Amino acid sequence: MMKFLVKQQKIEALEREVIASDQIAFVSVKFVFDGAWKTLHKVVQFTQCEETYNVVLGIDGTTCLLPAELHPGAVKMSLFGYDAESDTTVRATTVPVTLHIRPSGFVADGDTSGQ
């Protein structure tokens, strides 16, 4: 599991691990939020090659799964949050951090006969 601290508009890595491609619902990303983010509806954004994947954490959520659509290479991860209950528009954003996905050894049409 990877773990990040979200402090105002900055994301700091607390725990990192090697990420291999071709995973599906396997890599967890956990966030610890400072007080400024506690009441906000939070969304994590993963951007790679002009494609952005939004993963909703909601107000109380702190963990999400890495999107399976990501492939080897650099991925920008950032968050935004908003206060749906506020009378005025409130949107928090972060500076992105870069995650690096490495090629896996997975072969989709591999022989499973054991020979």
Side-chain angles (χ1 to χ4, degrees):
M1 176 184 298
M2 294 184 296
K3 190 173 182 181
F4 296 91
L5 171 64
V6 181
K7 199 170 171 183
Q8 291 294 319
Q9 293 188 290
K10 183 178 180 183
I11 302 171
E12 297 177 16
L14 297 175
E15 295 176 28
R16 281 199 187 235
E17 63 183 43
V18 173
I19 306 169
S21 64
D22 303 309
Q23 60 81 39
I24 299 174
F26 186 70
V27 177
S28 293
V29 184
K30 181 172 177 60
F31 300 94
V32 177
F33 295 96
D34 71 3
W37 286 81
K38 293 292 184 191
T39 61
L40 299 178
H41 181 88
K42 295 170 273 301
V43 179
V44 186
Q45 292 190 311
F46 297 93
T47 302
Q48 185 179 49
C49 298
E50 308 304 317
E51 292 287 333
T52 299
Y53 306 95
N54 290 335
V55 181
V56 176
L57 294 178
I59 294 174
D60 297 323
T62 58
T63 305
C64 71
L65 293 170
L66 198 66
E69 296 83 359
L70 300 174
H71 50 81
V75 176
K76 297 285 187 191
M77 180 184 75
S78 63
L79 289 100
F80 71 90
Y82 58 90
D83 187 346
E85 305 297 318
S86 178
D87 292 338
T88 59
T89 302
V90 175
R91 179 174 56 214
T93 58
T94 64
V95 174
V97 295
T98 302
L99 307 177
H100 297 281
I101 298 178
R102 297 183 184 176
S104 74
F106 177 72
V107 179
D109 58 354
D111 180 6
T112 57
S113 67
Q115 295 179 9

